Amino acid sequence: MTAPEGRGIGNGDSAAEITTTFVGLPRDSFRILHVSTGNVCRSPITERLTRHFVQERLGILGGGLIVESAGTWGHEGAPMEAHAETVLADFGADASGFTGRELLDEHVIRADLVLTATRDHRAQVISMGHSAGLRTFTLKEFTRLVKAIDPATLPPLEEGVVGRARALVRAAAALRGWLLAPNAEADEVYDPYGAPLTFFRSIGDEIHQALDPVVTALTGVPART
């Protein structure tokens, strides 16, 4: 099977270059995979916002950090939903060039961190095997765990974002059994597919609030106020 095309920014790429194939990726890279159902609403928003917020903090998304997305019932080749594009524009993030993908084994194998919209998505990723359990979280679950990690215990960014990201995932996995969700819904990002723009924007705000502590932990740089 041919390896699928990645959609992150590899080491040394400019912010405008949003496509990188698996061939020729830097050996020392860290791949974040966002997963939802159709890969036209939640996971595209999360993918592009992650990339945008990292770029805001570091000036460019590089150093081997790659961000992409797929769907468990992905609309292969489909464009992002128009309301999702509007939400990204609200945050100043780039929605251009996006096409939906169905989640494949190759995506999970290559991912260093999988962040899903819901617990069902997390279960589906883990059921695919590939030792994915310790690196697969719902987005909000990962946020909750990251907030409990002392940033001083992570490698400084000067040593590279890849090493810092790997340490963050290990620390979050170690905490998972100790910091449980207050209720079943706390780790869910609900599907806005077919909903009005106001609901898409509320989901966008949820994703933004969940991503902010994660990106701060990854980069060591807080959001600008």
Side-chain angles (χ1 to χ4, degrees), residues 175-201:
L175 285 173
R176 178 149 40 189
W178 298 93
L179 293 175
L180 302 179
N183 54 66
E185 289 72 36
D187 287 341
E188 306 282 294
V189 176
Y190 291 106
D191 192 355
Y193 186 76
L197 178 57
T198 51
F199 188 66
F200 266 82
R201 282 182 162 141

Side-chain angles (χ1 to χ4, degrees), residues 94-146:
D94 182 14
S96 65
F98 182 88
T99 54
R101 300 192 305 179
E102 183 176 356
L103 181 67
L104 301 177
D105 289 294
E106 287 91 340
H107 302 142
V108 177
I109 290 167
R110 288 172 169 83
D112 297 287
L113 172 63
V114 183
L115 297 176
T116 69
T118 70
R119 292 168 298 151
D120 282 347
H121 296 134
R122 182 184 63 193
Q124 289 179 65
V125 171
I126 293 172
S127 73
M128 295 171 72
H130 315 303
S131 303
L134 290 177
R135 51 194 168 92
T136 302
F137 309 79
T138 74
L139 172 62
K140 288 185 175 181
E141 173 192 21
F142 193 66
T143 301
R144 184 175 68 254
L145 298 171
V146 163

Side-chain angles (χ1 to χ4, degrees), residues 10-11 15 19-20 23 57 66 77 82 96 105 116 144 150 214 219:
N11 192 23
T19 302
T20 304
V23 177
R57 287 160 169 79
I66 300 149
S96 65
D105 289 294
T116 69
R144 184 175 68 254
D150 182 357
V214 173
T219 64

Side-chain angles (χ1 to χ4, degrees), residues 2 24 47 102 207:
T2 302
E47 173 196 326
E102 183 176 356
I207 292 171

Side-chain angles (χ1 to χ4, degrees), residues 56-75:
E56 279 190 330
R57 287 160 169 79
L58 299 182
I60 186 169
L61 180 56
L65 185 64
I66 300 149
V67 185
E68 58 186 356
S69 63
T72 55
W73 290 85
H75 299 290

